[in-house]
Amino acid sequence: MVDLLGQYDNIQEQVDLKILEVVKSAAYINGPEVHNFQKELENYLGVKHVIPCANGTDALQIAMMGLGLKPGDEVITADFTFAATVEVIALLQLTPVLVDVEKDTFNMNIKALKKAITPKTKAIVPVHLFGQCANMEAVLEIAATHDLFVIEDTAQAIGADYTFKDGTKKKAGTIGNVGTTSFFPSKNLGCFGDGGAIFTNDDDLAHIIKGMVNHGMYKRYYHDVVGVNSRLDSLQAAILRIKLPNLDAYCEARKKAATYYTNAFSENSNITTPIISDFTTHVFHQYTIQIQHVDRNALHQHLLDNGIPNGIYYPVPLHSQKAYVDARYKEEDFKVTNELIDTVLSLPMHTELDTEQLDFIITTILNFVNK
Ligand SMILES: *Cc1c(COP(=O)(O)O)cnc(C)c1O
């Protein structure tokens, strides 16, 4: 699905030198690399504060802790996403409330979001799934009406641009009260291990979160709040500093591959290609098609048999996962997610795909669906 070695090849000299430099510096934790990466990412995103942490799941958890959410508070998120989002809600003993998504963009359905709001609702977590932003203008409007926090899960969409109706542009993750991301190796900006970050323009929240990632300390050995230990290490930060200047080029390479796929499939009535909302760019963390009239699972297997990696993201809606079942959920409220789990297929998508590989993937798919 991804070609991490191919991407490394292009920056190998820089990376190898840097790794050696960090090793010899012995500043493995909270060294200057982490501080410099933080500043450079703030600059790239146009956000006041970036707080690096250990992974994207921690980032979500710490964001919710920082906002002071309390057990019993309801937090609304999408039914069709990676489980990390709902997991941290449950871990903090908040009440997850899952809502259906839109069939064309895979992102949170705004009508379903409105319907899910109760007096206990405290926050909304839009997930910018597969690389394009959810309808943030609508989310912000609802949040303002009901006095709710907005936490953007940007693990799959770092680098995407959102355009408001008045023409203002913002980077994904810098639109709500707080945004979170992951630097897991296969993400669009990936390190060589685990990593994550939290973004905010709110000075007070940034201060709270900076202590929370470090055992709740604002002064050494004085623990004012219950915190966690969640750090991005210097080696990962050093690698991310080399990759960050390439992020826009990485996104472009992904978009180019996506356009190539879309052109090849657009005339085919058995394949629905990704649709991009007009308020967002798409950085194609995943290139996900929907398969009609043909057995999706058989196509999945056929591609594997031909040596083509492909994934079903996601095979089970969160509301049906054993850990997250809730008597309040009604199947008719999750019509779209229940359909998508049987039709979606994510194709190889990374920065190193060449036309020969793309042609082989496309031909193999078309031969099967046109059979
Ligand atoms: C990857 C991912 C996460 C979790 O990130 P980790 O760094 O693996 O903890 C959270 N949310 C979404 C949508 C993701 O894709």
Side-chain angles (χ1 to χ4, degrees):
M1 290 295 277
V2 295
D3 182 4
L4 299 178
L5 271 183
Q7 196 181 63
Y8 164 63
D9 277 347
N10 296 320
I11 48 172
Q12 179 175 4
E13 218 169 301
Q14 259 176 304
V15 168
D16 291 1
L17 278 172
K18 199 62 169 173
I19 288 178
L20 206 61
E21 188 188 308
V22 174
V23 170
K24 287 186 173 163
S25 77
Y28 304 137
I29 300 287
N30 282 337
E33 293 295 339
V34 179
H35 181 75
N36 289 334
F37 172 63
Q38 174 205 321
K39 291 289 163 206
E40 287 158 10
L41 188 57
E42 283 168 0
N43 194 38
Y44 173 83
L45 293 172
V47 72
K48 274 172 96 175
H49 305 280
V50 164
I51 302 112
C53 66
N55 57 68
T57 309
D58 275 10
L60 282 162
Q61 178 182 331
I62 296 158
M64 290 178 202
M65 289 166 64
L67 290 169
L69 300 180
K70 296 279 175 312
D73 288 350
E74 292 181 3
V75 180
I76 302 174
T77 193
D79 189 35
F80 189 66
T81 174
F82 181 58
T85 326
V86 69
E87 178 179 59
V88 300
I89 298 172
L91 261 180
L92 293 173
Q93 296 185 316
L94 313 172
T95 305
V97 177
L98 297 167
V99 297
D100 210 359
V101 296
E102 293 170 344
K103 184 176 149 54
D104 51 355
T105 65
F106 309 111
N107 277 325
M108 187 181 267
N109 180 301
I110 298 300
K111 272 195 198 132
L113 165 61
K114 278 188 188 154
K115 212 179 128 193
I117 290 171
T118 77
K120 288 186 178 167
T121 308
K122 285 286 156 17
I124 309 168
V125 188
V127 182
H128 303 314
L129 203 74
F130 299 155
Q132 72 172 319
C133 294
N135 185 346
M136 289 305 293
E137 203 147 4
V139 169
L140 290 183
E141 206 179 292
I142 294 166
T145 308
H146 299 273
D147 200 13
L148 310 174
F149 295 119
V150 176
I151 305 160
E152 297 173 71
D153 183 343
T154 319
Q156 300 190 3
I158 193 160
D161 290 307
Y162 189 92
T163 307
F164 287 81
K165 286 185 196 122
D166 68 3
T168 317
K169 279 189 201 294
K170 284 188 182 176
K171 286 279 181 202
T174 69
I175 302 164
N177 299 86
V178 56
T180 66
T181 202
S182 163
F183 304 121
F184 185 78
S186 65
K187 299 284 155 92
N188 287 27
L189 179 63
C191 58
F192 291 1
D194 275 309
I198 303 156
F199 327 132
T200 186
N201 284 309
D202 179 333
D203 296 337
D204 296 334
L205 181 62
H207 174 75
I208 293 169
I209 288 176
K210 278 177 196 162
M212 269 183 175
V213 297
N214 189 23
H215 302 290
M217 285 194 285
Y218 297 88
K219 189 173 152 195
R220 206 142 196 214
Y221 301 120
Y222 290 79
H223 304 271
D224 295 357
V225 294
V226 177
V228 294
N229 169 24
S230 189
R231 293 184 284 242
L232 180 71
D233 67 61
S234 302
L235 274 172
Q236 302 307 340
I239 290 157
L240 289 166
R241 285 189 70 203
I242 294 168
K243 285 195 176 189
L244 180 59
N246 299 323
L247 178 57
D248 286 343
Y250 291 160
C251 292
E252 276 312 311
R254 287 172 177 273
K255 275 184 226 173
K256 213 172 138 202
T259 304
Y260 200 88
Y261 278 134
T262 295
N263 288 341
F265 297 139
S266 61
E267 301 291 303
N268 198 292
S269 59
N270 297 332
I271 301 174
T272 304
T273 53
I275 286 164
I276 309 172
S277 304
D278 51 12
F279 46 70
T280 177
T281 60
H282 199 319
V283 294
F284 288 101
H285 174 61
Q286 298 294 347
Y287 184 87
T288 304
I289 54 177
Q290 297 172 53
I291 305 293
Q292 288 90 220
H293 323 301
V294 173
D295 182 346
R296 189 274 318 267
N297 290 343
L299 173 58
H300 168 63
Q301 190 56 48
H302 176 73
L303 293 177
L304 291 180
D305 293 344
N306 282 276
I308 299 172
N310 67 107
I312 296 166
Y313 308 127
Y314 295 90
V316 183
L318 289 180
H319 80 271
S320 310
Q321 296 281 3
K322 276 189 201 151
Y324 305 113
V325 289
D326 187 316
R328 292 178 308 171
Y329 294 141
K330 294 189 210 79
E331 286 309 317
E332 74 234 36
D333 288 335
F334 299 101
K335 279 199 189 101
V336 175
T337 309
N338 285 340
E339 182 191 327
L340 288 176
I341 54 160
D342 292 325
T343 59
V344 288
L345 196 68
S346 295
L347 305 183
M349 175 48 71
H350 54 82
T351 55
E352 314 302 315
L353 279 168
D354 59 34
T355 46
E356 200 182 327
Q357 291 170 319
L358 288 165
D359 285 336
F360 176 63
I361 297 164
I362 288 163
T363 311
T364 312
I365 292 172
L366 289 178
N367 283 344
F368 188 88
V369 302
N370 293 337
K371 227 177 14 197

